[in-house]
Amino acid sequence: MFRLLFALILAVILRSLANAQNKSTVRVPNNTTTGNQCEKSFSKECCNGRDGRDGRDGQNGKDGRDGRDGIKGKKGEQGKSGINGAKGQKGEPGLSAKSTNGTMQFTETTDTCTLRTAGTVRYNTSQKALELCDGNAWLPLVTARIGHKASNPSRHCLDISNSGHSHGNGLYWIDPNGGSTDDSFQAFCDMETEGGGWTLVATKVSPSFVFIKTTFSTVAAKTKNANAASHIHPDMGDWGEVMFRFADVNAIRVIYNRKAGAPQNSKKEFEKFLMGNSVRLQGNVYGFYKYSPADQNKRNPTSGFATISSLHFFIKHGISEDHHRGTDKWLDMWNGTDVYSNNYTFSNENKALGRKCIAGYCYLNKPIWVMVR
């Protein structure tokens, strides 16, 4: 009886010990990572945290306030390297600017302006100006206007017009002989008549005034409304045309073309006279035409050139058709009155006849300009 009671008590004790052992065992969740030490061993040191809320003894965590079940998160993967930027294109030859002591030096180039070179700048040596490529053509920069100051003159008005630096009729600085700009001077330019580019040579206001003389005058080049005698500048020997016009009459121009026809003796002598040589001659001179801006730029003759018969050009008297046999429809700028045929189209004063007449129109008080290009 005693043995049976002892065995029963022993069985109860063993069952209680087994239950206590089961309660002390921690069950590891099935989704725990393979790298967690608690999955491999159920030691106190690894798994004593309370549901991971503080995780004081959790792996690698000191306090584990932010830990969840005491499990360390994985390290994120490294991002991929960025794509290398495209290599810049090589610039067009001769279009780059060089830095010199803090300044930019632009070089000369003969490259064609294209869409690829749009926005580039070059220096035009012949025009002494910077030019910008707009994708179609080289255009002058406004900051480098030729003829607008004494230190940056042009040879004459035609060069200014051709370079695109014209601002219309007015005074410009020119230097026909080039080189040093110390002898540059101002000249009045007609930038409108038949394309423009005309440089003032001399002005006649008084009927008896002789406007061509053997000495050159820089003052005459800018004098528009007073008597000013001179001749074509000796360093402008490559001139092509001479124009005779009233200052403020837009319907009348007479133009002489130097290259028209053969270089006959009368043409050669007339050109010498315009260049200031002491010439006294009467002859037939070919190469004239009339031009009228007011009449839709009408030209007479419509093509080719005309001859002024028996044209007088004396250094002491001026220029005139023959007062006996002339038509009076071209040039009469003599220092004496025409008392003969008087075949003029219009005259506002008899004192102007033969003395201040262009293309048959005579005005006593209007200045006559002699211009060259």
Side-chain angles (χ1 to χ4, degrees):
M1 183 67 179
F2 176 78
R3 290 181 180 178
L4 180 61
L5 181 61
F6 178 79
L8 182 60
I9 293 172
L10 179 63
V12 172
I13 293 173
L14 291 176
R15 184 181 180 90
S16 298
L17 290 174
N19 289 338
Q21 180 67 32
N22 289 338
K23 288 182 179 181
S24 65
T25 302
V26 179
R27 185 176 299 274
V28 180
N30 292 333
N31 59 350
T32 305
T33 60
T34 57
N36 194 316
Q37 296 298 322
C38 290
E39 185 181 27
K40 296 179 181 179
S41 66
F42 301 140
S43 63
K44 266 187 177 182
E45 290 77 14
C46 180
C47 304
N48 199 29
R50 297 179 180 177
D51 295 330
R53 286 193 295 273
D54 55 12
R56 290 185 179 89
D57 296 323
Q59 182 183 3
N60 296 328
K62 290 185 178 180
D63 54 20
R65 283 191 298 271
D66 297 325
R68 182 170 296 173
D69 295 332
I71 301 171
K72 182 180 178 182
K74 289 184 179 180
K75 183 179 180 181
E77 295 182 0
Q78 183 177 356
K80 295 182 179 179
S81 299
I83 300 174
N84 292 332
K87 184 178 181 181
Q89 293 181 345
K90 183 178 181 181
E92 290 287 329
L95 299 180
S96 60
K98 297 183 294 184
S99 178
T100 306
N101 296 327
T103 62
M104 299 300 292
Q105 180 181 0
F106 293 90
T107 58
E108 176 93 5
T109 178
T110 57
D111 291 345
T112 303
C113 176
T114 64
L115 289 175
R116 187 183 175 207
T117 57
T120 55
V121 178
R122 74 176 183 182
Y123 181 71
N124 189 319
T125 303
S126 62
Q127 299 297 334
K128 298 180 181 179
L130 290 175
E131 294 179 329
L132 172 69
C133 172
D134 69 348
N136 182 50
W138 290 102
L139 304 176
L141 290 177
V142 175
T143 54
R145 286 185 179 270
I146 299 174
H148 290 233
K149 55 184 180 179
S151 60
N152 190 25
S154 184
R155 281 196 62 223
H156 40 62
C157 298
L158 183 59
D159 277 354
I160 296 173
S161 178
N162 290 340
S163 65
H165 294 181
S166 167
H167 57 67
N169 293 349
L171 293 175
Y172 296 81
W173 287 92
I174 66 172
D175 183 22
N177 59 17
S180 173
T181 60
D182 292 341
D183 57 352
S184 63
F185 57 92
Q186 283 187 302
F188 176 76
C189 299
D190 176 345
M191 295 298 194
E192 297 176 353
T193 299
E194 200 168 37
W198 301 92
T199 304
L200 183 63
V201 173
T203 300
K204 177 174 180 173
V205 177
S206 301
S208 61
F209 183 72
V210 180
F211 55 94
I212 297 293
K213 67 177 183 179
T214 56
T215 56
F216 179 78
S217 169
T218 58
V219 175
K222 65 179 180 180
T223 304
K224 301 182 296 177
N225 300 306
N227 293 321
S230 187
H231 61 77
I232 298 174
H233 195 285
D235 290 305
M236 290 174 60
D238 57 346
W239 62 272
E241 293 179 304
V242 170
M243 176 172 65
F244 305 88
R245 59 162 293 185
F246 284 104
D248 57 354
V249 179
N250 205 35
I252 302 167
R253 308 282 191 273
V254 169
I255 298 175
Y256 168 72
N257 188 289
R258 188 179 192 182
K259 296 181 179 179
Q264 298 174 344
N265 185 62
S266 294
K267 284 179 69 72
K268 291 180 180 179
E269 293 300 314
F270 181 60
E271 291 160 11
K272 288 180 181 179
F273 165 78
L274 295 172
M275 294 287 292
N277 289 279
S278 183
V279 176
R280 177 185 174 90
L281 191 67
Q282 174 184 342
N284 299 335
V285 181
Y286 177 77
F288 291 89
Y289 68 95
K290 301 171 187 177
Y291 184 81
S292 176
D295 190 12
Q296 298 180 345
N297 298 328
K298 185 177 180 180
R299 190 183 188 278
N300 184 19
T302 55
S303 63
F305 304 89
T307 297
I308 298 181
S309 300
S310 190
L311 182 66
H312 293 64
F313 41 96
F314 294 1
I315 201 69
K316 292 183 178 181
H317 298 284
I319 303 173
S320 178
E321 296 180 57
D322 191 322
H323 287 172
H324 294 278
R325 299 178 297 276
T327 67
D328 294 331
K329 297 298 188 294
W330 289 97
L331 294 174
D332 290 286
M333 300 166 63
W334 207 249
N335 64 341
T337 305
D338 183 0
V339 295
Y340 297 99
S341 57
N342 295 332
N343 296 317
Y344 301 101
T345 302
F346 172 82
S347 175
N348 70 342
E349 177 65 48
N350 287 336
K351 292 181 180 180
L353 297 177
R355 305 166 90 179
K356 294 186 66 181
C357 307
I358 296 175
Y361 292 83
C362 307
Y363 295 96
L364 183 64
N365 297 315
K366 293 183 181 297
I368 289 179
W369 294 339
V370 181
M371 312 190 81
V372 64
R373 72 172 181 183

